[in-house]
Each structure stands twice: as structure tokens, then as C-alpha cells.
Amino acid sequence: MPAVPAPILDRRNLRPGLRLAVAVSGGADSVALLRALLLVAPEIGLVLSVVHVHHGIRGEEADTDAAFVASLAATHGLALHSRDVDTPTAATENRETIEEAARNLRYGFFRELLAAGTVDAVATAHTLDDQAETVLHKLLRGGWTEGLSGIHPQLAEARGAILRPFLNVRRSEIEAWLRALDQPWREDSTNADTVYTRNRLRHELLPALAAYNPQIHTQLAAVATIARDEEAYWQAELARILPQLLLPGKPVRGGGRSASTHPDEASLAIEIERLPAAPALRRRILRTAARQLGVSLNYEQTERLLAMCAPSTGLNAAAAKPPAKRQELGSGLIAERSPRELRLSRSARE
Ligand SMILES: Nc1ncnc2c1ncn2[C@@H]1O[C@H](COP(=O)(O)OP(=O)(O)OP(=O)(O)O)[C@@H](O)[C@H]1O
């Protein structure tokens, strides 16, 4: 068999002396990530270990996965950080889906290892295929640039970081390499189950799109990179201008009536005249303001708020209806427009 080159790792965040725990589920992607990191560890000076979470779902299959990962770590003389969790109970208690609960428990363990200083970073094996599936999923459900940013190559934590050095690597490349190495991996039986949206995207929608553009995975991953950079730019702009714009709890000025100051209410005012003209910024300001009151606005709610910021007098006003004076946007969020201010308030009684 011709030699298959090792997948190319993103080395940006791999520095000498880094104590890096590789998150290994036993699947092809994470087994390959471990093998690829083992190849470069001596040259870079990485101190590798393995982290595995037994989620308490998928019965014996998960027991075998855990044993497989333990044996892989032992074969390469690596320390193993393992944790058994009860995903179904956590899902019920926190009203999460099984997938959400498993993810939260998994990342909870990673963050514990980082916070305790046991390791400096945790590497997960997300691939370019995962990135494409995530972006497509966000597009289907409706996503802002932050959602379209998909899986980030690096997540800074309070202490340490979570790294994704395989984000530029195709899953097909990984499997070919493991076969060439004669390295077995564990197949997750739920990966083929088309009950899960993500699996339908992987097995049905993406192959259909690839008939229109064979580079669709790379294109969607490029959307994530572009969206991430755009979002970072606008977030820096927001950090600069928000402190002058959002006026928490201030009374309405400029002739507007005073808003209710019921003790259960949290409120914020925005001076309309000082709002930048660009909708890209206006939307972000409005969404950030709502988020500060604990409400995550969807597109339709954001557009309703945006319309409330239109000029109430002057030439432009003749073309359209005057902006609404008061609207309830859901989740207890109320928007009130006075001549100079837009006030958002949230009743805790909702
Ligand atoms: N049980 C596990 N133990 C350790 N690491 C795991 C486990 N499951 C997944 N991982 C790590 O997470 C990566 C992504 O896994 P997977 O695609 O199943 O996650 P996901 O459901 O997409 O959630 P998320 O993207 O938030 O991690 C894997 O490549 C692996 O590095």
C-alpha cells in the first residue's frame, strides 16, 4: 500500500512544554488526532495525556470504548484522565437533550482539568467535516455571524484553553491514514442513525449539495472563518461604543415620559440620536442590550426593535408608518420608544 501522509495539524497553539490532554472518544477522528500529536510531540516538546468521558449511555458499547481508550493510552505510555458521568440524570435535572447534557458534562470535566492545572490545554478532534455540518445546521436554523462562526480553533478558558488542531482536516483523509497505520478505532453506532439531524446533514444533505459543488465542505468551513473574523471585528467596535450608548436605569430624557421603576423590572435606555447608522451595528447593539436583560433575541424580534429606532419625524418618516411606541417582544421584554430614547425593560414577573 502506498504511504499515506499524516493529516496536517494546526500547530498555531502548540508550544514547547505544553501539557496537552487529547480528548479521545475512541472514534476515528480522536484516535487519529492522538496518533498525529504523538508524531510531533518530541519535535515540539508537547507533554501528552489522554482524557476520556464515559457518558453512561450506549451501554456495553461505551464500556468497550472506555477500555479501548485506556488500552490505547497505555500502549503509548500516556497518563489517562477518565470520568464516569450519568448523562440521563443530568439531562432530566437540567431539562437538556441527551446530546446537550453529554456535551456539558464532557466540557465540564475538561474545564476541571484545566482549572486544577492538571493540564494546560485540551485538544478535541473536530474536523473540517464537523465544521461544514455545524455551519450548514446553523444556516438551516437561522444563524447570526456568531453562529456561522461554527467551531472555534481555540477557546480560551479561565485557565488554559481548548484547542482543535484538526479543523482543516477531512474525515476521509483521517480514515485513510488510520487504515494505512493499521490503527483500529471504535465506530459509534449512533453515527448512522438518521433520527439525529446532524447525521441526516452528514449522510443526506451534504452529499446532495456536493453534487452542485464538490468543494462544499471547504466552502462552508470558509464561511465559518470569515464569519468568525467579521464577528471579532464588530465585537471590538461594540466594546468601544457600547459604554456610551447603553444607559442602565437612567430616566428617559428629552421630553419622554418616565418609564416604570417597579422593583421587579430591569431596564436599559438607548439614546436614538447616538445610535450609529449602520444596521450591522444597530442590530448588535439591540441584541447586546436585550442580552444584558437576559433575553436572546431572534431575527424577527430584532427587526421589530430596529424599526422602532427609525426617525419619528422628518422627511423619512413620511414614507413609512411612524415607529411603534411600545411593543412586547416575548420573554417578558418590553420596548418603549420616546422621542429620544428606546427603553428596554424586562419584567421578572413573566
Ligand atoms: N466520550 C468522550 N471522551 C473524550 N472526548 C470526547 C468524547 N466524545 C467526544 N469527545 C471529543 O470531542 C470531539 C467531538 O466529538 P463529537 O463530534 O461527538 O461532539 P459533538 O456532539 O459534536 O459536541 P461538541 O462539538 O460540542 O464537542 C471528539 O473528536 C473528541 O475529541
Side-chain angles (χ1 to χ4, degrees), residues 22-27 29-31 33 51-55 58 65 69 99 103-104 106-107 110 122-127 130 133-134 151 164 171 188 191 198 202:
V22 188
V24 183
S25 60
D29 303 343
S30 55
V31 169
L33 178 62
V51 50
H52 180 77
V53 176
H54 186 312
H55 287 115
R58 296 191 298 116
D65 290 350
V69 173
E99 278 176 313
R103 180 177 298 128
N104 287 335
R106 186 160 69 239
Y107 279 89
F110 297 167
V122 173
T124 66
H126 292 93
T127 63
D130 291 317
E133 289 157 15
T134 303
I151 305 165
R164 276 81 186 242
R171 197 173 285 142
D188 178 343
N191 276 349
R198 173 160 156 183
R202 181 181 300 176

Side-chain angles (χ1 to χ4, degrees), residues 180-294:
L181 287 181
D182 220 5
Q183 167 67 61
W185 68 85
R186 299 275 305 154
E187 211 65 70
D188 178 343
S189 61
T190 61
N191 276 349
D193 193 339
T194 46
V195 165
Y196 297 105
T197 308
R198 173 160 156 183
N199 292 342
R200 292 219 306 280
L201 295 181
R202 181 181 300 176
H203 299 299
E204 297 170 6
L205 186 52
L206 272 162
L209 292 174
Y212 291 83
N213 178 357
Q215 298 301 318
I216 188 69
H217 293 82
T218 315
Q219 287 303 337
L220 288 169
V223 168
T225 305
I226 292 165
R228 193 163 53 247
D229 289 347
E230 299 285 326
E231 186 59 22
Y233 172 84
W234 289 114
Q235 286 304 325
E237 281 293 286
L238 269 186
R240 199 173 54 76
I241 61 174
L242 267 182
Q244 309 144 33
L245 267 176
L246 298 188
L247 312 167
K250 273 203 167 184
V252 176
R253 293 191 285 146
R257 65 184 177 76
S258 199
S260 154
T261 50
H262 189 283
D264 283 346
E265 267 182 6
S267 74
L268 272 175
I270 299 166
E271 272 189 75
I272 304 279
E273 268 174 26
R274 299 179 74 172
L275 267 181
L281 265 173
R282 286 197 167 198
R283 284 198 187 91
R284 284 179 168 91
I285 290 162
L286 296 171
R287 294 186 64 235
T288 307
R291 206 176 299 123
Q292 287 192 6
L293 299 175

Side-chain angles (χ1 to χ4, degrees), residues 13-19 41 43-47 120:
N13 300 299
L14 306 179
R15 55 172 169 77
L18 186 78
R19 292 170 306 146
E43 174 201 330
I44 300 178
L46 300 174
V47 183
D120 303 315

